Amino acid sequence: MSTLDLRPAPAPAPRLQRILRHARMETVLVTRNGEQLLLALVIPLGLILGQAVAGERLGIAREPFVASVIALGLWSTGFTSLAITTAFERRYGVLERLVATPLRRTDLMLGKAAMVIAVALAQAAVLALAGVAAGWSPRPSVAQTAVAAGVVVLSLAAFSGLALVLAGRASAELTLGLANLVYLLGAAGGLLVPVAAFPGWAQPVISLLPTTALGETLRTWAGGGVDALPLIVVAVWAVAALALARKVFRWTS
């Protein structure tokens, strides 16, 4: 006969399971937030529809524009949504309580990173399908596809680092205002507007922004060209932003 061992044996879940469960929770919270869905999908889809309706009359070419809108969506997910969400979690003591559980600080950050990647991939797929339905026909090369994949990943890392720097130091209300302001500035500074459209004296500065690197990469990808320089730009930004976030982020308000 076997005997039952009913003694309690409490133990945390395996680390990978903790991270994946936290990532799932973060993803559910993002999809339930109306403001974040507005930035992530509603505005970009509206821009794609607007180009399909009036783009030819306004002289806006479909191929680079849809690629720019996908970059805008990734910017909103990697920076704006993450900054606002994290700032309010810090204000209400959510982060302070979470790190008192078996979910450690590194696990929490990895869970947020997994959420950003999952949401960004789904977002890019939806916007790309909407663009194709509106007549978008990109002509990517194999080399630029590899470059674009690297730039997207490093851009999301850079955006997330910058988001955590802002959310980890500023108040929730200030983060809300600044994140939305920076979102608009980023959209105008290289995401939707190509570098060539800026005055000559501003182009060298604009081209060094991570938002510009992402926008130019996806526009080049859609047009069939190859340009690996943005990969270096976003790599530098990613390392610097994540290092700064690790140094200055505060878990309590």
Side-chain angles (χ1 to χ4, degrees), residues 43-64:
I43 292 176
L45 287 173
L47 291 172
I48 291 174
L49 178 61
Q51 193 284 328
V53 172
E56 290 186 5
R57 294 197 298 271
L58 297 175
I60 301 175
R62 180 174 290 120
E63 272 62 40

Side-chain angles (χ1 to χ4, degrees), residues 142-191:
V142 175
Q144 186 64 12
T145 298
V147 171
V151 168
V152 167
V153 171
L154 290 172
S155 295
L156 290 173
F159 298 160
S160 299
L162 295 173
L164 293 177
V165 170
L166 177 59
R169 301 302 295 183
S171 66
E173 294 79 7
L174 182 58
T175 298
L176 176 63
L178 286 178
N180 283 303
L181 175 61
V182 174
Y183 169 78
L184 295 175
L185 293 175
L191 276 173

Side-chain angles (χ1 to χ4, degrees), residues 12-23 102-104 107 111:
R15 187 179 188 191
L16 179 60
Q17 191 176 59
R18 296 198 306 264
I19 295 171
L20 292 178
R21 286 180 177 178
H22 181 64
L103 187 72
R104 299 307 181 194
D107 300 343

Side-chain angles (χ1 to χ4, degrees), residues 26-244:
E26 292 274 359
T27 304
V28 170
L29 291 176
V30 167
T31 57
R32 290 178 179 176
N33 189 304
E35 179 185 358
Q36 294 183 27
L37 287 179
L38 176 70
L39 293 174
L41 285 177
V42 177
I43 292 176
L45 287 173
L47 291 172
I48 291 174
L49 178 61
Q51 193 284 328
V53 172
E56 290 186 5
R57 294 197 298 271
L58 297 175
I60 301 175
R62 180 174 290 120
E63 272 62 40
F65 185 77
V66 174
S68 299
V69 171
I70 294 174
L72 178 67
L74 296 176
W75 166 235
S76 71
T77 297
F79 175 76
T80 312
S81 296
L82 182 60
I84 294 172
T85 300
T86 306
F88 279 94
E89 287 176 346
R90 188 168 69 89
R91 173 184 174 178
Y92 293 125
V94 175
L95 298 182
E96 185 178 0
R97 287 165 174 78
L98 282 176
V99 296
T101 70
L103 187 72
R104 299 307 181 194
R105 296 184 178 191
T106 303
D107 300 343
L108 189 145
M109 291 293 101
L110 289 174
K112 283 185 175 292
M115 176 274 293
V116 168
I117 292 172
V119 172
L121 289 176
Q123 178 186 38
V126 170
L127 295 178
L129 289 174
V132 170
W136 184 47
S137 55
R139 305 179 303 277
S141 66
V142 175
Q144 186 64 12
T145 298
V147 171
V151 168
V152 167
V153 171
L154 290 172
S155 295
L156 290 173
F159 298 160
S160 299
L162 295 173
L164 293 177
V165 170
L166 177 59
R169 301 302 295 183
S171 66
E173 294 79 7
L174 182 58
T175 298
L176 176 63
L178 286 178
N180 283 303
L181 175 61
V182 174
Y183 169 78
L184 295 175
L185 293 175
L191 276 173
L192 291 179
V193 182
V195 174
F198 289 90
W201 60 267
Q203 291 182 14
V205 177
I206 297 294
S207 63
L208 293 178
L209 297 175
T211 48
T212 303
L214 178 60
E216 289 292 314
T217 295
L218 293 185
R219 284 188 287 270
T220 302
W221 175 85
V226 178
D227 183 9
L229 181 60
L231 194 59
I232 300 174
V233 174
V234 291
V236 173
W237 274 95
V239 171
L242 292 174
L244 183 60

